[in-house]
Amino acid sequence: MSGKTVVRPYGDTTGDGMVQVSFTLPVPHDKRAEGAAIQLANKMGIDPAMLVHAKQMGDGFTFFVVYGRVNHLVDVSAVQVVERDFPLLSAREVNAVVKRRLRRKLSVVGACIGTDAHTVGIDAILNVKGIAGEKGLEYYRELKVTNLGAQVSVPELVEAARVERADAVLVSQVVTQRDAHLHNTREMSAAFREAMPAGRRPLLVVGGPRFDESMAAELGVDRIFGRGTTPGEVASFLVHALVTDKRARA
Ligand code: B12
């Protein structure tokens, strides 16, 4: 990053404040709908606002793309994010630490819970094929992975974790409609706390593209992983939290 910490969006020239937003309004596509889109953009602080795309999406809905200027500034130095606070290990290093320090395989149970059927994300983390050029956790010799798949209920998950003597439970939540991901995660963490005494509870990890990674404590889990997570990051965190630095647990 350059020395500047206070920045503006960039469209055509540096700092010109240009942004592009898209949204849908529950109105059929006509001139009035386009005016309504501009009005909304103005209320969002985009001024001037140019309509660059409008398309009717079925009966009574129109999708818009608006391009325009905002005057807001962003102070990058004031941004708070969850930074990686554990070392990134290779698969070989993860296997070596588990074998030497745990002296048994580390058991991982994963699932999509609730009605969520989006398994691509959890499969990317768990299945051998992995993602982004990295192999998934099944590839790690010292990890024992049980992938329960889609639409697993919380009681089923708790039971599977018990049967598999899970060291870690990995849950994926992709659908966020009506905050389903938050409700399901809270239900899951509460169920584990009720079913298992402190100290015997597995490490609870959730992931999905629309989680706020800073909400782990609020949701009762040990870690949240968001968009673009790779299996290596997850394996490194598991080793850190369960083997090399147990203080990482909530
Ligand atoms: C593929 C897909 C489907 C497939 C799913 C197939 C399958 N087996 O997974 C099908 C067609 C079944 C489907 C159905 C539906 N879908 Co869909 N789907 C998608 C789509 C196009 C891609 C999702 C995906 O695979 N991403 C790729 C993976 C690799 O990324 P990821 O999930 O983010 O995972 C990464 C990270 O988030 C993280 N991660 C994820 N989970 C976990 C877990 C752990 C433990 C960790 C550590 C990390 C981690 O690591 C992963 C790798 O980096 C998205 C739109 C989009 N472009 O994202 C919509 C989307 C998710 N679907 C959506 C919707 C609404 C639905 C339906 C409700 C549609 C309908 N009306 O029927 C149904 C719901 C079905 C159900 N019961 O869940 C919405 C959700 C909106 C919302 N706010 O919740 C989206 C965003 C589309 C949209 N823009 O509206 N869908």
Side-chain angles (χ1 to χ4, degrees):
M1 198 171 68
S2 69
K4 277 191 180 170
T5 64
V6 177
V7 296
R8 256 208 177 93
Y10 164 86
D12 302 318
T13 54
T14 306
D16 62 12
M18 300 305 277
V19 298
Q20 182 167 298
V21 296
S22 64
F23 51 85
T24 302
L25 290 178
V27 291
H29 182 204
D30 56 17
K31 282 277 181 200
R32 182 171 290 273
E34 295 191 358
I38 297 291
Q39 189 191 104
L40 178 65
N42 288 156
K43 286 183 175 174
M44 291 164 71
I46 304 174
D47 195 3
M50 286 166 274
L51 190 70
V52 293
H53 181 71
K55 187 166 176 28
Q56 180 133 344
M57 309 290 286
D59 279 348
F61 293 89
T62 308
F63 175 73
F64 300 96
V65 178
V66 173
Y67 183 63
R69 180 168 24 253
V70 295
N71 289 316
H72 308 85
L73 302 171
V74 175
D75 184 354
V76 181
S77 68
V79 172
Q80 292 190 347
V81 288
V82 178
E83 306 255 22
R84 179 166 55 78
D85 52 358
F86 52 89
L88 257 192
L89 306 178
S90 67
R92 186 189 287 259
E93 288 169 325
V94 166
N95 285 332
V97 173
V98 173
K99 190 165 188 182
R100 196 176 63 245
R101 303 270 300 266
L102 206 60
R103 296 172 179 216
R104 60 171 172 77
K105 291 199 193 297
L106 190 151
S107 172
V108 177
V109 170
C112 284
I113 61 170
T115 58
D116 206 327
H118 292 87
T119 49
V120 179
I122 188 81
D123 286 349
I125 302 298
L126 297 181
N127 292 0
V128 174
K129 70 175 188 291
I131 191 166
E134 287 187 15
K135 297 257 199 303
L137 302 193
E138 284 177 354
Y139 170 77
Y140 291 64
R141 209 182 44 238
E142 299 300 327
L143 305 189
K144 178 173 180 284
V145 175
T146 308
N147 186 349
L148 301 175
Q151 300 190 329
V152 175
S153 73
V154 166
E156 283 169 338
L157 180 66
V158 172
E159 183 53 23
R162 204 193 302 273
V163 170
E164 296 298 333
R165 296 173 181 272
D167 296 292
V169 168
L170 269 53
V171 161
S172 183
Q173 287 288 272
V174 173
V175 174
T176 60
Q177 290 163 334
R178 297 187 184 156
D179 285 342
H181 63 312
L182 304 180
H183 297 307
N184 290 341
T185 301
R186 285 197 183 94
E187 183 193 340
M188 182 271 296
S189 61
F192 273 100
R193 284 193 165 74
E194 194 179 315
M196 297 176 184
R200 302 277 298 279
R201 171 179 70 76
L203 192 75
L204 301 178
V205 179
V206 292
R210 294 191 184 182
F211 272 109
D212 174 348
E213 293 182 355
S214 68
M215 286 180 72
E218 199 180 317
L219 296 178
V221 298
D222 298 289
R223 190 85 181 193
I224 297 175
F225 285 92
R227 269 182 304 116
T229 303
T230 65
E233 289 172 315
V234 179
S236 299
F237 173 69
L238 297 184
V239 162
H240 174 73
L242 290 164
V243 186
T244 53
D245 185 0
K246 298 183 179 176
R247 286 168 306 169
R249 296 189 64 159

